[in-house]
Amino acid sequence: MPKKTFLNLSEKQKDKIIEIALKEFSEHDFKSASLNNIINSLDVTKGSFYRYFESKKELYDFLAKYASEKKLTFIKKSISQKYVDFFEQFKSIMYSFLIFDMTFPVYGRFLLNIKYYNGMEAFLKEAISEALKAGTLSSEFDRDFIFTCLVKVTQGVEDYISQSTGTNREKLLSMTPSADIHDDKGLQNIFDKTIEFLKHGFGARQ
């Protein structure tokens, strides 16, 4: 947790510290990221910085939680409508992941580096539980098994997108943010095939 001194700063000052620190950690892993670079960019003394955070690790942990919560909030707002069909909801989640990364590339790079999404696991598991209760998902499988498979399939689809289209995560992060990603026929086809695959595996039996 950041110190009270940091929490008492104005939103503008807090945002400046967060953005500069995120940029450093998005470009380097934890070990090679330089706290001195962050402090110099903020134009403050080391003493002043340590009034905000106890250590580099405390700053890093704070950023991980902050960035992942920002992404989760974005995704929830993007899929605010109540989906009757779980698979359409999941497709919307996949799109929202990409659009967030394109809209906030520094956050996207940082979260990609640390592979940490606070709250996302609970959010997706809750959606799976609701779909199981509604009968949209087959009761042959338990929630945690479905969750694990969805995560692995999503990772596999990301690899496939990279190999088949040359549009890897880093390239997406450099693209202009736009809802037009929904109109990309290549991505649309890949996502549609993914959803059909998942329906055959986890969909309720007719």
Side-chain angles (χ1 to χ4, degrees), residues 67 89 115 125 138 141 151 182 206:
Q89 180 187 36
K115 294 181 173 62
K125 282 184 176 180
S138 172
F141 309 101
V151 171
H182 290 280
Q206 300 299 319

Side-chain angles (χ1 to χ4, degrees), residues 59-69 110-111 114 116 118:
L59 170 62
Y60 186 81
D61 289 343
F62 165 75
L63 292 174
K65 187 172 186 294
Y66 179 87
S68 60
E69 286 179 352
F110 174 65
L111 290 171
I114 65 174
Y116 173 80
N118 185 56

Side-chain angles (χ1 to χ4, degrees), residues 45-107:
T45 64
K46 274 192 176 182
S48 295
F49 178 82
Y50 284 115
R51 290 173 58 214
Y52 303 145
F53 294 92
E54 192 69 42
S55 63
K56 176 181 173 182
K57 180 68 165 55
E58 186 177 77
L59 170 62
Y60 186 81
D61 289 343
F62 165 75
L63 292 174
K65 187 172 186 294
Y66 179 87
S68 60
E69 286 179 352
K70 184 179 178 75
K71 185 165 191 173
L72 180 58
T73 298
F74 179 91
I75 290 170
K76 285 182 175 180
K77 285 182 178 178
S78 299
I79 58 168
S80 58
Q81 67 186 95
K82 196 73 174 176
Y83 282 92
V84 175
D85 185 276
F86 170 80
F87 298 102
E88 286 303 310
Q89 180 187 36
F90 187 66
K91 183 164 73 169
S92 181
I93 290 172
M94 289 194 290
Y95 272 120
S96 297
F97 253 74
L98 291 178
I99 293 172
F100 177 90
D101 290 348
M102 292 164 64
T103 307
F104 306 100
V106 172
Y107 286 77

Side-chain angles (χ1 to χ4, degrees), residues 114-127:
I114 65 174
K115 294 181 173 62
Y116 173 80
Y117 299 95
N118 185 56
M120 193 64 213
E121 179 176 342
F123 169 66
L124 188 51
K125 282 184 176 180
E126 182 181 355

Side-chain angles (χ1 to χ4, degrees), residues 24-41:
E24 179 68 18
F25 284 117
S26 71
E27 296 173 352
H28 308 279
D29 59 26
F30 175 77
K31 188 175 181 180
S32 57
S34 170
L35 192 56
N36 284 335
N37 284 348
I38 295 171
I39 291 171
N40 290 337
S41 296

